[in-house]
């Protein structure tokens, strides 16, 4: 049973990491017109992405020992 929970946590870690990366890359936009460059960043999206990365790391750190135990 613990092995299944560990595997689910590892899969959850991958999902959190994917959504965190996607949200982090969508948090800033830029527009270039000749030599003029305009940038806009959404700090709330960036903070949410960091929380997803942290959740991913926590799930991975808990999931690996549970999946490896015999």
């Amino acid at each position: 049973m613990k092995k299944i929970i560990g595997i689910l946590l590892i899969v959850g870690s991958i999902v959190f990491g994917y959504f965190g990366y996607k949200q982090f890359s969508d948090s800033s936009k830029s527009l270039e017109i000749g030599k003029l460059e305009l940038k806009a960043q959404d700090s709330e999206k960036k903070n949410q992405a960091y929380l997803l990365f942290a959740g991913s790391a926590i799930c991975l750190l808990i999931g690996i020992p549970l999946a490896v135990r015999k």
Side-chain angles (χ1 to χ4, degrees):
M1 183 68 176
K2 288 184 181 182
K3 203 170 215 178
I4 294 171
I5 293 172
I7 292 170
L8 289 176
L9 283 171
I10 292 171
V11 170
S13 171
I14 293 169
V15 170
F16 282 153
Y18 170 74
F19 284 120
Y21 175 75
K22 188 174 178 184
Q23 195 160 18
F24 186 78
S25 65
D26 290 342
S27 68
S28 65
K29 301 288 181 188
S30 65
L31 174 68
E32 293 183 30
I33 302 173
K35 292 186 177 182
L36 178 67
E37 182 179 356
L38 301 172
K39 280 189 171 184
Q41 292 184 346
D42 189 359
S43 62
E44 186 174 330
K45 269 191 173 183
K46 201 173 256 191
N47 288 340
Q48 289 176 353
Y50 288 138
L51 288 174
L52 286 170
F53 287 143
S56 174
I58 291 170
C59 285
L60 191 64
L61 290 174
I62 294 172
I64 288 176
L66 287 176
V68 173
R69 278 190 190 161
K70 290 184 178 184

